[in-house]
Amino acid sequence: MAKTVLVVDDSNFVRRVIVKSIKEYSNEGELTIKEASSGLEALDILKESLPDIMFLDLTMPVMDGYQLLDELEKNSIKLPIVVISGDVQNEAKKSVKDKGVLGFLNKPFQKDEWEALMKEVKIL
Amino acid sequence: MSKIILTPDEFDLLKELVNVAMGLSASELAELFDNFVKLKVPSINIESSEDLPEVIINSSIFPEDEEVISIREKFSNGVIAEGEGIIILNQSTKKSIIPILGLSEEDIESEMIMDFLLELSSQLIGSCLSNLFKQFNPETTLFGSPKMLSTKDTLRQCAFSTISEGKGSYEDMLCAKIEFIIDDVNFECDLFILFDSKSLPNLKEELQVILKESY
């Protein structure tokens, strides 16, 4: 069965770069990639079905990444999450790791950083 | 009307680049205050210089009748853009730096606090712009000395008088607005980055290069 991925970022550019990186890296063959431009859009998608992995930005309009993580916790929704964010504060990393996030990638990320994280996460 | 228009994709990319630069600056600010800096999505618009005061009033974190301190610093990255950064903060933010300097509330008007505010503003403007331009090219960005524009004007007075004095060099301008908020110490400030109209063609070209690489 094809793996599903959810990419959540308010920037079209970033979503395109992440989707391209996923396709280049993955050995999974067919992939279903969904996209959301805010935490709220992502929450709607997650309520329908859970992807195998979600890539999540933190600074977004409407509902940011922190708020989405809170909502997931509140609704007992669990799934593998990788945060990709320009918010590189240590406190930001600590707070999302405390919420069970698998990995954190600083923007802008390099190919080797992406590959190292993907090897660690072992989902795609 | 603006002669140079950025496409939605170019705006989106520029916002993302500013977002990354803002995140790095916030990290430095967080270390200084030993506290988490709350960030919002930056806003980016092309504005006519005549509209600058209203843009500042409408998008500032502070109400228009609040007494603010404003600081300006000019910058130049020869390859891409020239312009200025403007920091606006309020009296609570000024008070928030007292413990960092080991002073007491009686020292609120001391020269040391104003010097520190200048230094802090310069650091925020410098860090944000250097980190922004690094994403385009490795050229060094040069900065002028930070200049205190106002210390006790309301935001409205500040926007219409002092800040608009510098608008002569901008016909249309690209205005990026960033907010830094540290709830625990009542630190709030606006950073407006103004790129002059001559910078827009260069900026557009650089954005197109990055966009092409992303496909």
Side-chain angles (χ1 to χ4, degrees), chain A residues 9-14 16-17 20 57 59-61 64 66 86-92 95 107-108, chain B residues 9 12-13 15-16 19-20 22-24 26-27 30 35-37 39-41 135 210-211 213-215:
Chain A
D9 198 299
D10 59 318
S11 164
N12 293 329
F13 170 78
V14 174
R16 188 164 63 243
V17 169
K20 188 179 169 190
D57 185 21
T59 312
M60 291 184 290
D64 65 24
Y66 299 104
D87 189 346
V88 296
Q89 298 176 71
N90 290 332
E91 189 60 32
S95 90
K107 288 182 186 173
Chain B
D9 269 358
D12 173 63
L13 172 57
K15 194 165 75 175
E16 183 53 31
N19 187 37
V20 167
M22 169 184 86
L24 291 163
S27 180
N35 232 305
F36 182 64
V37 180
L39 295 170
K40 285 189 182 167
V41 180
Q135 297 175 80
I210 299 177
L211 278 170
E213 285 170 1
S214 75
Y215 284 102

Side-chain angles (χ1 to χ4, degrees), chain B residues 9-67:
Chain B
D9 269 358
E10 289 162 355
F11 265 117
D12 173 63
L13 172 57
L14 183 59
K15 194 165 75 175
E16 183 53 31
L17 300 178
V18 171
N19 187 37
V20 167
M22 169 184 86
L24 291 163
S25 303
S27 180
E28 292 174 20
L29 193 61
E31 271 183 41
L32 179 67
F33 281 89
D34 195 17
N35 232 305
F36 182 64
V37 180
K38 242 171 39 183
L39 295 170
K40 285 189 182 167
V41 180
S43 66
I44 313 258
N45 293 296
I46 293 180
E47 308 283 357
S48 147
S49 64
E50 287 154 19
D51 298 333
L52 178 59
E54 285 298 340
V55 168
I56 287 172
I57 290 165
N58 293 332
S59 55
S60 173
I61 199 169
F62 306 114
E64 62 177 278
D65 56 353
E66 178 148 6
E67 266 186 17

Side-chain angles (χ1 to χ4, degrees), chain A residues 6-61:
Chain A
L6 176 58
V7 179
V8 191
D9 198 299
D10 59 318
S11 164
N12 293 329
F13 170 78
V14 174
R15 292 202 305 274
R16 188 164 63 243
V17 169
I18 295 173
V19 168
K20 188 179 169 190
S21 303
I22 292 168
K23 286 179 177 168
E24 281 175 2
Y25 179 80
S26 175
N27 292 318
E28 286 294 326
E30 205 180 323
L31 279 172
T32 303
I33 302 177
K34 295 178 182 174
E35 297 182 31
S37 62
S38 73
L40 197 60
E41 261 184 48
L43 193 58
D44 285 342
I45 293 172
L46 293 170
K47 281 177 178 169
E48 292 289 316
S49 66
L50 292 185
D52 291 288
I53 186 166
M54 174 167 74
F55 295 92
L56 176 66
D57 185 21
L58 292 178
T59 312
M60 291 184 290

Side-chain angles (χ1 to χ4, degrees), chain B residues 1-186:
Chain B
M1 279 294 287
S2 304
K3 290 178 192 102
I4 297 285
I5 305 285
L6 297 186
T7 65
D9 269 358
E10 289 162 355
F11 265 117
D12 173 63
L13 172 57
L14 183 59
K15 194 165 75 175
E16 183 53 31
L17 300 178
V18 171
N19 187 37
V20 167
M22 169 184 86
L24 291 163
S25 303
S27 180
E28 292 174 20
L29 193 61
E31 271 183 41
L32 179 67
F33 281 89
D34 195 17
N35 232 305
F36 182 64
V37 180
K38 242 171 39 183
L39 295 170
K40 285 189 182 167
V41 180
S43 66
I44 313 258
N45 293 296
I46 293 180
E47 308 283 357
S48 147
S49 64
E50 287 154 19
D51 298 333
L52 178 59
E54 285 298 340
V55 168
I56 287 172
I57 290 165
N58 293 332
S59 55
S60 173
I61 199 169
F62 306 114
E64 62 177 278
D65 56 353
E66 178 148 6
E67 266 186 17
V68 295
I69 296 159
S70 58
I71 292 154
R72 168 195 287 153
E73 185 167 308
K74 298 200 171 191
F75 66 86
S76 170
N77 175 296
V79 182
I80 303 175
E82 289 187 7
E84 59 188 46
I86 295 172
I87 290 275
I88 299 178
L89 41 86
N90 66 356
Q91 298 300 324
S92 301
T93 302
K94 185 177 164 188
K95 275 188 195 162
S96 74
I97 64 169
I98 290 175
I100 293 177
L101 296 175
L103 299 174
S104 67
E105 294 231 352
E106 294 156 11
D107 303 314
I108 188 73
E109 299 303 332
S110 79
E111 202 174 312
M112 199 193 278
I113 289 184
M114 296 317 270
D115 284 348
F116 184 81
L117 284 178
L118 276 173
E119 185 55 39
L120 178 65
S121 301
S122 182
Q123 193 182 327
L124 275 177
I125 293 169
S127 149
C128 203
L129 282 157
S130 298
N131 288 319
L132 173 64
F133 289 130
K134 263 187 220 163
Q135 297 175 80
F136 291 112
N137 70 45
E139 290 285 324
T140 306
T141 304
L142 302 174
F143 294 94
S145 304
K147 186 184 167 195
M148 189 71 73
L149 295 177
S150 64
T151 54
K152 293 212 163 161
D153 288 346
T154 63
L155 176 67
R156 173 162 281 276
Q157 288 166 332
C158 165
F160 271 97
S161 60
T162 330
I163 290 175
S164 61
E165 273 174 24
K167 73 179 184 184
S169 55
Y170 306 104
E171 294 162 29
D172 299 316
M173 62 192 173
L174 187 72
C175 177
K177 156 74 190 343
I178 294 168
E179 289 175 14
F180 296 103
I181 300 170
I182 309 176
D183 282 337
D184 288 355
V185 293
N186 291 324

